[in-house]
């Protein structure tokens, strides 16, 4: 579950949404791949996402996110990425209600775009971040034109550091999973 803000008739609601978008045609939540991200470049054309991007956009709150880069010998190196100014992130998302045979889920996906200058040394994609002044536009409260918000962040907005590979375990918990390693520079 992720914390997300949706807007209904101009009233915002903080909700828990299941991360992993389930398209309307899935008979069960596991009928196809887990859709955790939606590419900004194709979101309006993909059958799974096109209705949601037009009518069901949300903001997904986070302190940061993890990403992995390639290391030597095929190793995957985990990074924690946050805003350089320390403010929380509001990631662009889309959501969907899915219901079959008495089972109901409200699911979401994060909108991603090609990496900007801060993310490019680590990974080729990054989540679309929405600044507070643009929240009404992304949430559909102030008309059309939200597509222009689906872009990478300019330089010096994000910062990243290497973290312990323990983040790869679904049993690992705790604030130490965000703590920097001594070798926390891009490419290390």
């Amino acid at each position: 579950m992720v914390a997300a803000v949706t807007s209904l008739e101009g009233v915002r609601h903080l909700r828990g949404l299941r991360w992993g978008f389930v398209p309307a045609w899935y008979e069960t939540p596991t009928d196809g791949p887990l859709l955790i991200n939606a590419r900004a470049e194709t979101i309006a054309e993909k059958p799974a996402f096109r209705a949601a991007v037009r009518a069901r956009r949300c903001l997904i709150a986070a302190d940061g996110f993890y990403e992995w880069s390639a290391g030597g010998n095929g190793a995957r190196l985990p990074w924690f990425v946050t805003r350089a100014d320390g403010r929380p992130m509001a990631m662009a998302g889309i959501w969907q209600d899915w219901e079959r045979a008495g089972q109901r889920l409200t699911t979401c996906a994060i909108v991603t775009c090609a990496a900007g200058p801060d993310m490019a040394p680590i990974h080729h994609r990054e989540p679309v971040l929405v600044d507070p002044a643009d929240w009404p536009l992304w949430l559909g409260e102030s008309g059309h034109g939200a597509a222009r918000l689906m872009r990478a962040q300019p330089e010096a907005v994000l910062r990243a550091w290497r973290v312990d590979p323990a983040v790869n375990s679904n049993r690992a918990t705790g604030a130490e999973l965000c703590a920097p390693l001594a070798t926390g520079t891009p490419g290390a």
Side-chain angles (χ1 to χ4, degrees), residues 63-149:
D63 292 332
F65 61 91
Y66 294 103
E67 194 53 77
W68 284 259
S69 64
N73 298 324
R76 290 177 35 121
L77 307 175
W79 297 79
F80 186 71
V81 183
T82 188
R83 290 182 56 97
D85 61 13
R87 292 183 6 223
M89 295 178 171
M91 294 183 276
I94 55 173
W95 65 275
Q96 166 106 337
D97 283 328
W98 177 90
E99 189 169 1
R100 292 279 192 289
Q103 185 179 12
R104 182 183 167 110
L105 298 172
T106 302
T107 65
C108 67
I110 294 171
V111 180
T112 67
C113 61
D118 296 337
M119 274 300 294
I122 298 168
H123 196 266
H124 66 284
R125 308 284 302 167
E126 70 180 58
V128 170
L129 300 184
V130 183
D131 290 326
D134 293 322
W135 292 356
L137 182 58
W138 183 255
L139 292 172
E141 299 166 351
S142 62
H144 302 287
R148 72 172 178 79
L149 302 176

